[in-house]
Structures are given as structure tokens and as C-alpha cells.
Amino acid sequence: MKTIQIHGKEFEVSITEEKIQQAVQRVANDLNRDLRGKEVVFLPILNGAFMFASDIFRRIEFDARISFLKTESYTGTSSTGHITQVIGLNENIKGKTVVILEDIIDSGLTMENVIEQVRAGEPAEIKIATFLFKPDAFVKDFHIDYIALKIPNDFIVGYGLDYDGFGRNYRDIYTVKSDKFLNLLIFGAPGAGKGTQSKQIIERYNLVHLSTGDILRAEIEQNSRIGQLAKRYMTNGGFVPDEIVLSMIMLKIMENKGASGFIFDGFPRTVEQARRIDALMREESMPISAMIALEVGTEELKRRLVERGKTGRRADDTPDIIENRIKIYHEKTAPVKEYYREQGKLREVHGEGAIEDIFRNIEGIIENL
Ligand code: AMP
């Protein structure tokens, strides 16, 4: 796989030049079919759209003008919010068909502003043609007439699009090489050994350990607002609400953005948490690599937890609460495993026996990812 380096980050090809050219040709064909015979002005938006505009325009088979726009962003008053100002709109577009050419539409915020300002020039009609469209990020409702390619919500460079000024010259589209990151989920019932194995994994692979249980216990210790809230749920072994856990974990991820990966321990514990963390990590170009599930029989789980309870380290290691935690695990958490099985990311490990032997099996799995 062809890779490139920009500002020290490694990118790999995600859309080849051939695919790009085929998609651009399709859009050009549609424009030729729909707009022939009209008075057309193409308005590409600089800088990103210059490649797309050039490839489109050279395929246009009727007489048309082209005039380049640029946008400037600034923050307005609290009522106007973020504003995009269009500059360079000096072509007379009154009564004409304008085709705004954009490299990428994600949220749609910028384009909405552009449309509004182009409309002030009183064209007969406005058509929008974008090279890329991110349906998952789009929050507006204007119609996009021509889309060359739909893509997931990943960060990309190439074919006019840049990463901090560079990368526009590449003929292919690239995304951040994801296998530089190792994002593991360590999974299992309470007492399966998630914390114990996590310790070994982080030492070996230099990952940031994010245990929601540990984070919550620290919040309780500090008697923070989250801690006070969480305590109510944790004392009987119930789950802390998804929203609290998710905002807490997102904060930790953002605090550790330079990390070479994470190991999530005790999280996700519900399918909703799994969906949300998947979406976030994909957006950050750090998708989950695998779920390592530790398999331990119920009797052994109970024995371990009761044993740990004797040390008094955890308030929830008492027989009644242990029963409840295992019950909730089967009800709410076990489906998370199936969720990752469906994605082909589940790796099951026998979790009984010597700690070192279990770790060696986990190591084997990670090396093969
Ligand atoms: P653990 O240390 O992972 O066994 O977690 C201890 C307790 O913290 C659990 O019994 C829950 O009450 C709470 N907790 C930890 N992680 C989560 C999570 N991902 N979602 C909801 N509650 C959690």
C-alpha cells in the first residue's frame, strides 16, 4: 500500500486516482447532459476545489465561464455565530445558471453561507457540485445536485485537499494510516482479569489505560459531582448512565490525543457505549483494533471476586453485589461481545490459568492484528 508522510504523520491511499477520475467523469457527464444550452458560470471555491474544478471544466462540452471564489471565516456576534464571507464574486451572475464547485461538504455550514451570498447576485438557478460528501457529518438540509464520491467521516488529504497546507498535489486521496494506533478493548465478566492483563499489555505496548471503573472510583474518592452521582449506581453493582461514562471517557481520550493507542477496560459495557465509541474513534482516525475477551467460568469468577473482597479494596466485592454484577453483565454487557464479533474484531482468550500464560496468548493475538 502506497503511503506518504505529511508533517510527520503517515497517510495511506484510500481512493485511487483511477476511482477519482471515474467519479469526476460521471459528474461531468451529468453536467453536460443537464446544463447544455444554458448560460453557465462555474464558481469553484478556492483553495481546495482547484483540482476538481480543473478536471471538471476541461470535460465541459459547452461554452461556459469560470470564476474563482474564496471564503474567509470569522466569528461574528453571539447571535450570528460563525460566519463565512465569500470573496471574489465579481462576475455578473444575474439571470445565469451558476454551478458552485466544492472539494468537500461535511457539516454543510460553509456551503450554506456561500449559497446565501451567491443568491444575492440574483442568478436564475444555483447548482451545487461537490467532489466529496460526508453524509455522517452533514447537519444541513440544502440539496446537493452533484456528488462525485461519498466518504465516511475520516480526515483526508490529496487531490486538492490539504493537511495544514500540504498534500494538495497528490493524485490519490489519502487517510491517516490507522494501524499506527493500537486501540484495544479488554472484555470480560467482573473478575475475568481485565485489570491484571491490562497492566501487562500497557507495559509491553505503551498504551494509555482507560478503566472506567478506576476513573469512577477516583471521582468518588475526590467527592466530585460525577463521583457523587456515580456512587449511587455503583454501590449495588448497577451501571452508571451511558451519558456520564461517555463524556468522561471522551475527555480522557482528548487529554491523551498524542498517545500511540488506548486500552479500554470495563468499557464499552453497553451496545450504546460501543456504538458511540466506535463513531468517535473513527472520526479521530483511531478505529478500535480488536476486542480481547477473557473467558472465565462463573464459579471461578465468583471465587476470585470473593477472594478480592477479603482484601477490602472494593466496596462492591461482596457476595450479594457480586451476584448482581454478574447478572447485569449477562444482560447488558455480553451483547457488546456479539457486536464486535459481527465486525470481525472479537478475539477470545481462555482466561483461567497462570497470568503469564494468558498474557502470552494475548501477545500472540496483538502481534497478528
Ligand atoms: P469495574 O471496576 O470495571 O468493575 O467497574 C465498577 C463499577 O463502575 C461497575 O459495577 C459500574 O457500576 C461502574 N462502571 C464502570 N464502567 C462502567 C461503564 N462503562 N458503564 C457503566 N458503568 C460503569
Side-chain angles (χ1 to χ4, degrees):
M1 180 72 75
K2 208 157 92 182
T3 64
I4 53 167
Q5 291 260 352
I6 306 174
H7 294 304
K9 246 195 201 341
E10 199 169 9
F11 292 82
E12 62 190 358
V13 172
S14 68
I15 311 173
T16 60
E17 180 182 11
E18 192 190 350
K19 272 215 168 125
I20 293 171
Q21 291 303 326
Q22 284 167 359
V24 170
Q25 183 66 55
R26 274 197 301 275
V27 172
N29 292 348
D30 292 349
L31 290 165
N32 281 320
R33 181 198 61 209
D34 297 348
L35 306 182
R36 194 186 297 274
K38 296 188 174 184
E39 249 193 293
V40 180
V41 183
F42 284 93
L43 299 177
I45 299 172
L46 293 176
N47 294 324
F50 76 97
M51 281 261 191
F52 178 53
S54 147
D55 278 349
I56 286 285
F57 200 58
R58 79 175 93 189
R59 290 177 164 100
I60 293 301
E61 294 162 355
F62 54 85
D63 290 333
R65 291 173 195 275
I66 186 163
S67 178
F68 293 84
L69 305 182
K70 216 173 153 84
T71 58
E72 260 177 7
S73 292
Y74 59 92
T75 310
T77 62
S78 59
S79 65
T80 52
H82 190 76
I83 297 178
T84 302
Q85 176 76 41
V86 172
I87 48 180
L89 189 56
N90 38 29
E91 186 84 6
N92 181 11
I93 56 171
K94 193 167 178 178
K96 296 178 183 159
T97 295
V98 302
V99 182
I100 302 173
L101 295 177
E102 180 62 299
D103 51 342
I104 182 161
I105 296 180
D106 39 40
S107 72
L109 230 69
T110 304
M111 183 54 83
E112 191 177 56
N113 273 301
V114 172
I115 295 169
E116 209 172 288
Q117 288 165 66
V118 168
R119 192 171 283 140
E122 299 178 15
E125 56 178 344
I126 299 176
K127 301 278 182 195
I128 313 288
T130 187
F131 168 50
L132 299 173
F133 177 54
K134 287 182 170 177
D136 295 343
F138 193 59
V139 294
K140 296 294 174 183
D141 52 12
F142 57 82
H143 178 67
I144 305 173
D145 304 273
Y146 306 95
I147 295 169
L149 293 163
K150 287 184 185 168
I151 57 164
N153 203 3
D154 295 332
F155 185 76
I156 49 158
V157 295
Y159 194 70
L161 292 108
D162 73 313
Y163 170 44
D164 231 356
F166 290 94
R168 296 191 198 273
N169 49 317
Y170 292 100
R171 291 156 178 256
D172 306 295
I173 292 280
Y174 292 79
T175 48
V176 174
K177 196 167 187 295
S178 53
D179 62 6
K180 268 181 77 177
F181 299 94
L182 188 60
N183 277 322
L184 299 176
L185 308 176
I186 186 116
F187 187 81
K194 301 187 290 290
T196 308
Q197 291 301 330
S198 291
K199 271 201 204 101
Q200 316 244 7
I201 298 170
I202 53 175
E203 268 174 34
R204 169 80 173 74
Y205 296 98
N206 192 27
L207 305 178
V208 173
H209 183 209
L210 294 181
S211 153
T212 41
D214 286 352
I215 300 169
L216 288 165
R217 278 184 290 274
E219 297 283 347
I220 292 175
E221 188 95 338
Q222 290 161 23
N223 200 24
S224 68
R225 251 180 56 80
I226 287 187
Q228 287 168 10
L229 257 168
K231 198 172 178 178
R232 283 195 262 149
Y233 301 95
M234 287 169 74
T235 36
N236 68 355
F239 281 179
V240 175
D242 286 348
E243 285 310 321
I244 296 178
V245 175
L246 281 159
S247 56
M248 206 175 72
I249 204 104
M250 282 177 190
L251 199 71
K252 293 283 174 192
I253 292 166
M254 295 307 159
E255 281 174 359
N256 290 284
K257 257 194 148 172
S260 53
F262 296 97
I263 180 157
F264 296 93
D265 170 357
F267 174 89
R269 246 179 167 93
T270 62
V271 173
E272 175 61 14
Q273 290 179 9
R275 287 208 184 96
R276 299 273 293 273
I277 195 67
D278 272 6
L280 175 77
M281 296 315 261
R282 256 203 314 272
E283 217 168 284
E284 296 295 328
S285 298
M286 302 187 289
I288 302 297
S289 321
M291 164 182 271
I292 295 173
L294 295 166
E295 304 299 330
V296 177
T298 308
E299 284 321 301
E300 171 68 7
L301 291 176
K302 286 183 190 164
R303 196 192 59 75
R304 288 182 188 180
L305 292 171
V306 169
E307 199 58 34
R308 190 171 71 183
K310 288 181 190 159
T311 65
R313 271 188 299 135
R314 280 181 53 164
D316 55 358
D317 282 342
T318 62
D320 287 354
I321 302 177
I322 290 170
E323 280 293 343
N324 196 32
R325 282 161 60 204
I326 293 177
K327 184 170 151 274
I328 296 176
Y329 164 79
H330 286 296
E331 280 169 15
K332 294 191 180 168
T333 308
V336 177
K337 191 166 124 180
E338 298 315 311
Y339 175 85
Y340 285 101
R341 193 197 300 279
E342 279 166 23
Q343 291 189 30
K345 290 186 176 173
L346 176 66
R347 304 287 184 278
E348 291 172 292
V349 179
H350 184 59
E352 295 185 34
I355 291 172
E356 274 313 310
D357 292 342
I358 299 168
F359 178 62
R360 254 193 298 281
N361 287 338
I362 293 178
E363 226 177 5
I365 287 171
I366 296 175
E367 297 300 330
N368 279 314
L369 284 177

